[in-house]
């Protein structure tokens, strides 16, 4: 079975992974301090939320056209430009902070630019992984990516807080350095990451081709509905959980333990992912993930303690990397190379598009119905979504990776 040791011999993947890990850690600490600085400058919680929303808005708005770009332009060049943009944006904040000229509009503009840069970078990076990693190594490669994300999530908050305590602009200076490191690592990739040469199609057709590819396949069609609604419901649950602890005057350090538990669960899950993905049929694994997005949350309806929240979060995130890596590997394996960017961006866009509604849903239920009722309703919703996966034959029938039917790349035409 392919594993981490074998993948470590893949020079180009290792180079990409190191650069992306450093960059993602820098972004995590910057995202932690964005609302803190916005609140310090404005005194408004709403303004602080809007700065963070600017980043998410830039990211989501860019994903679909970025998928088209990744399938039409050299992916290495895209990653270099995106990383350089992030470096320049965060450098401008560090300089403004060091000179005493850091203002709210500048902060919001950089948040938006950083979100756009991330939205452009992600589809190109996913397509690049498909180019530098063989099909049999995809589960391990994506598992390592999941580990990278959870490590960044685990360390970003504490590190960002420590740097913010030194002085508020230092986290941005560190993030600028991480993006510079990403530029260096991407430039050292030797694999040809140029996009396939194809006849130019109308822009509207290019934007929708990734969606049409996924919609035509029942497995992905079902997953699109499940992933978007599950992201909405589970994020609403944890918004209720955290806000309920705030209302109960739980110390901030204890609330932070919930994020720590999530990070630890995610890292452990990423370590287990390659073995589980290879041993279990992908369809059955997907069904298992559906129920693991439900069952660990049930105790939250009966207890509001910090330890219950930590335990539920740990178990929820334990198999989440396994599902993300397994489903992502299958999607990449069966997607033709000329569609890798668009299919990846479509998948990410659909799953993230409703997430801004999560705090609104959770907040409304908490305010009008109370925490216990709010969580109970949302947990029931996760159960219904798990039933959706369980009842889908197209989900259950997908075999192990060794039995995936990987289609040949369709012929491409010169532009």
């Amino acid at each position: 079975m392919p594993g981490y040791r074998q993948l470590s011999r893949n020079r180009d993947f290792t180079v990409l992974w190191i650069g992306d890990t450093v960059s993602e850690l820098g972004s995590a600490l910057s995202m932690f301090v964005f609302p803190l600085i916005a609140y310090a400058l404005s005194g408004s919680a709403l303004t602080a939320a809007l700065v963070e929303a600017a980043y998410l808005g830039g990211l989501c708005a860019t994903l679909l056209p970025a998928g088209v770009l990744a399938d039409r332009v050299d992916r290495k060049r895209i990653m270099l430009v995106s990383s350089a943009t992030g470096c320049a944006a965060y450098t401008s904040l560090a300089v403004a902070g060091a000179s005493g000229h850091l203002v709210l509009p500048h902060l919001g503009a950089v948040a938006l630019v950083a979100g756009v840069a991330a939205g452009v970078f992600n589809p190109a990076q996913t397509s690049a992984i498909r180019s530098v990693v063989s099909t049999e190594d995809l589960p391990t490669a994506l598992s390592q990516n999941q580990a990278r994300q959870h490590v960044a999530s685990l360390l970003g908050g504490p590190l960002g807080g420590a740097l913010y305590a030194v002085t508020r602009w230092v986290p941005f200076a560190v993030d600028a350095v991480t993006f510079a490191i990403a530029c260096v690592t991407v430039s050292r990739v030797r694999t040809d990451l140029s996009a396939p040469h194809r006849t130019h199609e109308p822009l509207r057709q290019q934007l929708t081709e990734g969606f049409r590819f996924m919609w035509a396949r029942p497995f992905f069609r079902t997953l699109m509905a499940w992933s978007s609604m599950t992201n909405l419901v589970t994020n609403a649950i944890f918004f209720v959980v955290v806000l309920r602890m705030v209302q109960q005057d739980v110390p901030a350090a204890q609330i932070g333990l919930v994020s720590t538990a999530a990070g630890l669960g995610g890292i452990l899950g990423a370590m287990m992912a390659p073995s589980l993905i290879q041993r279990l049929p992908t369809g059955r694994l997907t069904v298992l993930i559906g129920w693991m997005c439900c069952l660990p949350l049930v105790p939250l309806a009966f207890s509001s303690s910090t330890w219950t929240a930590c335990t539920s979060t740990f178990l929820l995130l334990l198999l989440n990397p396994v599902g993300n890596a397994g489903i992502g590997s299958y999607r990449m394996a069966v997607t033709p190379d000329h569609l890798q960017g668009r299919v990846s961006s479509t998948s990410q866009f659909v799953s993230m598009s409703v997430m801004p509604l999560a705090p609104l849903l959770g907040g409304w239920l908490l305010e009008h119905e109370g925490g216990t009722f709010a969580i109970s309703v949302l947990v029931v919703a996760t159960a219904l979504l798990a039933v959706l996966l369980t009842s889908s034959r197209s989900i259950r029938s997908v075999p192990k990776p060794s039995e995936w039917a990987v289609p040949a790349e369709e012929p491409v035409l010169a532009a």
Side-chain angles (χ1 to χ4, degrees):
M1 180 188 71
Y4 292 112
R5 185 184 297 272
Q6 176 176 318
L7 191 61
S8 67
R9 302 189 189 102
N10 186 325
R11 176 193 175 279
D12 281 352
F13 175 79
T14 301
V15 167
L16 276 176
W17 189 85
I18 291 174
D20 293 345
T21 300
V22 173
S23 176
E24 188 147 355
L25 177 59
S27 295
L29 65 89
S30 288
M31 288 305 298
F32 179 82
V33 301
F34 261 131
L36 299 182
I37 296 178
Y39 185 80
L41 292 174
S42 68
S44 167
L46 178 60
T47 300
L50 287 175
V51 171
E52 189 166 349
Y55 176 88
L56 292 174
L59 173 65
C60 291
T62 312
L63 280 171
L64 290 181
V68 174
L69 193 67
D71 289 334
R72 290 295 180 269
V73 180
D74 185 277
R75 291 145 182 176
K76 182 176 179 178
R77 188 182 309 165
I78 293 173
M79 291 188 288
L80 282 172
V81 171
S82 298
S83 298
T85 300
C87 180
Y90 284 116
T91 297
S92 73
L93 280 182
V95 171
S99 61
H101 294 92
L102 185 60
V103 294
L104 197 60
H106 187 184
L107 192 70
V110 169
L112 178 63
V113 170
V116 170
V120 172
F121 182 91
N122 289 346
Q125 191 258 1
T126 301
S127 302
I129 290 176
R130 186 67 182 97
S131 298
V132 303
V133 173
S134 65
T135 298
E136 67 174 2
D137 281 335
L138 279 176
T140 305
L142 295 194
S143 298
Q144 283 200 210
N145 274 6
Q146 289 291 308
R148 179 194 76 205
Q149 293 169 12
H150 289 288
V151 167
S153 176
L154 181 66
L155 299 179
L159 181 58
L163 293 173
Y164 181 78
V166 176
T167 187
R168 63 176 57 170
W169 57 266
V170 170
F172 299 129
V174 173
D175 201 7
V177 172
T178 66
F179 274 100
I181 293 173
C183 285
V184 173
T185 56
V186 169
S187 69
R188 293 177 61 83
V189 174
R190 297 171 181 169
T191 303
D192 181 12
L193 300 181
S194 57
H197 297 288
R198 299 181 59 84
T199 302
H200 288 292
E201 303 152 339
L203 180 59
R204 181 177 178 181
Q205 180 178 339
Q206 295 181 49
L207 286 171
T208 59
E209 193 169 2
F211 180 82
R212 288 190 285 111
F213 177 87
M214 298 185 71
W215 190 257
R217 289 153 179 81
F219 178 87
F220 295 121
R221 186 166 62 238
T222 303
L223 273 183
M224 282 195 293
W226 175 80
S227 64
S228 61
M229 296 309 299
T230 297
N231 274 336
L232 171 64
V233 173
T234 55
N235 280 280
I237 287 175
F238 282 103
F239 181 84
V240 173
V241 168
V242 171
L243 196 57
R244 187 167 60 172
M245 287 193 289
V246 171
Q247 291 175 339
Q248 295 171 351
D249 295 323
V250 175
Q254 291 187 29
I255 297 177
L257 289 175
V258 178
S259 296
T260 301
L264 291 175
I267 293 170
L268 183 58
M271 294 172 61
M272 299 188 302
S275 176
L276 291 177
I277 292 169
Q278 294 292 340
R279 293 178 181 178
L280 295 177
T282 303
R284 294 181 184 177
L285 178 62
T286 304
V287 171
L288 175 62
I289 299 303
W291 285 105
M292 284 300 293
C293 287
C294 167
L295 298 179
L297 303 177
V298 173
L300 295 173
F302 304 98
S303 172
S304 60
S305 75
T306 302
W307 302 115
T308 301
C310 288
T311 302
S312 294
T313 304
F314 176 84
L315 293 175
L316 177 73
L317 270 294
L318 185 61
L319 289 187
N320 181 265
V322 182
N324 287 341
I327 294 168
S329 299
Y330 178 68
R331 184 188 68 240
M332 292 172 69
V334 301
T335 301
D337 186 58
H338 74 279
L339 284 175
Q340 286 288 339
R342 279 168 286 180
V343 169
S344 171
S345 64
T346 297
S347 176
Q348 190 174 3
F349 175 80
V350 171
S351 65
M352 293 183 61
S353 59
V354 297
M355 284 180 62
L357 300 177
L360 299 178
L361 174 61
W364 187 89
L365 286 171
L366 180 63
E367 181 177 343
H368 290 85
E369 305 295 343
T372 299
F373 181 85
I375 292 177
S376 298
V377 168
L378 293 170
V379 168
V380 169
T382 64
L384 294 175
L385 290 167
V387 170
L388 170 67
L389 289 185
T390 306
S391 62
S392 172
R393 183 178 180 182
S394 65
I395 296 290
R396 299 193 312 269
S397 62
V398 178
K400 298 178 181 179
S402 59
E403 302 171 19
W404 288 346
V406 181
E409 174 69 40
E410 59 185 75
V412 295
L413 302 175

